[in-house]
Amino acid sequence: DTEVTQTPKHLVMGMTNKKSLKCEQHMGHRAMYWYKQKAKKPPELMFVYSYEKLSINESVPSRFSPECPNSSLLNLHLHALQPEDSALYLCASSQEFDRGRRGDGYTFGSGTRLTVV
Amino acid sequence: DAKTTQPTSMDCAEGRAANLPCNHSTISGNEYVYWYRQIHSQGPQYIIHGLKNNETNEMASLIITEDRKSSTLILPHATLRDTAVYYCIVRVNAGGTSYGKLTFGQGTILTVHP
């Protein structure tokens, strides 16, 4: 398995709702990432998990709460979002984050397109 | 990570070579050059990376200038499916491998036309 799977593919939520995005990989990668991408803009890093521990939070508002239950799963819990949070949310994984490994590119999922109404 | 500069958009005829330039004049000795692309409504896809030698794989070739201040991604025979945004990224290298954050710039919108 060489894929990163994200669910759901599309999500519409109200500003008072609580929802979660899910990401899964079975490549044995020990680093996982959340990116946010607005229309016609490049992906922006939100969070980095390395060995199931949060390594980097790029000053993301607390209404976004990441969780890494095990080495294969990464969740992003959403609460009290704003319409401007509507975007494509991308998950990625790599073999390592802070240690060099040969050919250590990122593998991205296809994303969850989130609309906040 | 060093900043990169790419043209906003480029066109290419189907079947011809697409040459996408990238300027990374502030690159340091411990940084690799990576190329990713993003087809509409999909996640970014890894293409190729290199340090200072030219590299080739089944998707593309990467030509890095001797001073490492710029590089060119070459798609030898572009097809309509190569229409995408192409990102040039520099990333820290240690001991012959690379790790750390992958930070995207604005990228180049490549349009391949019939």
Side-chain angles (χ1 to χ4, degrees):
Chain A
D1 188 352
T2 58
E3 291 185 346
V4 172
T5 302
Q6 291 189 244
T7 55
K9 292 194 183 304
H10 300 274
L11 178 64
V12 179
M13 62 183 291
M15 289 187 284
T16 59
N17 291 159
K18 287 184 180 180
K19 296 287 185 182
S20 296
L21 309 184
K22 180 179 175 181
C23 174
E24 192 168 2
Q25 58 88 13
H26 297 287
M27 295 177 280
H29 288 176
R30 303 315 301 267
M32 297 185 76
Y33 312 85
W34 281 114
Y35 282 80
K36 173 182 178 179
Q37 186 174 26
K38 301 283 281 183
K40 301 188 186 301
K41 296 291 186 182
E44 295 180 352
L45 183 65
M46 299 174 72
F47 301 105
V48 177
Y49 271 83
S50 178
Y51 285 83
E52 300 156 49
K53 294 192 186 306
L54 184 64
S55 184
I56 290 180
N57 175 342
E58 295 282 11
S59 303
V60 178
S62 59
R63 58 185 183 270
F64 295 92
S65 176
E67 177 196 23
C68 189
N70 60 56
S71 60
S72 299
L73 283 175
L74 186 66
N75 298 320
L76 186 62
H77 302 298
L78 314 172
H79 173 54
L81 295 193
Q82 302 297 311
E84 57 265 30
D85 296 320
S86 298
L88 180 68
Y89 288 84
L90 293 160
C91 175
S93 70
S94 68
Q95 288 182 316
E96 299 274 359
F97 175 66
D98 57 3
R99 308 172 201 180
R101 290 281 295 272
R102 188 165 300 280
D104 194 13
Y106 284 29
T107 301
F108 283 84
S110 296
T112 294
R113 189 161 299 281
L114 174 68
T115 303
V116 182
V117 297
Chain B
D1 292 341
K3 184 177 178 179
T4 62
T5 304
Q6 299 177 252
T8 302
S9 62
M10 295 183 66
D11 288 335
C12 178
E14 189 176 21
R16 304 296 294 269
N19 297 284
L20 292 91
C22 179
N23 184 292
H24 31 80
S25 58
T26 60
I27 194 169
S28 58
N30 68 344
E31 289 179 315
Y32 271 112
V33 179
Y34 273 75
W35 284 83
Y36 281 74
R37 73 180 183 183
Q38 187 173 23
I39 295 169
H40 182 62
S41 296
Q42 296 183 21
Q45 175 191 25
Y46 165 81
I47 301 173
I48 198 167
H49 72 283
L51 183 62
K52 55 184 177 181
N53 298 318
N54 297 340
E55 302 287 344
T56 295
N57 63 21
E58 65 277 5
M59 289 183 68
S61 294
L62 175 61
I63 309 298
I64 302 173
T65 57
E66 192 168 343
D67 62 9
R68 302 208 327 120
K69 293 185 177 182
S70 65
S71 61
T72 300
L73 178 74
I74 301 172
L75 307 179
H77 304 287
T79 71
L80 299 179
R81 287 173 296 181
D82 292 321
T83 294
V85 180
Y86 287 77
Y87 296 101
C88 170
I89 302 165
V90 292
R91 190 167 171 232
V92 69
N93 157 47
T97 60
S98 61
Y99 61 91
K101 290 195 289 186
L102 202 66
T103 302
F104 291 83
Q106 295 302 312
T108 296
I109 301 170
L110 175 69
T111 303
V112 180
H113 51 84

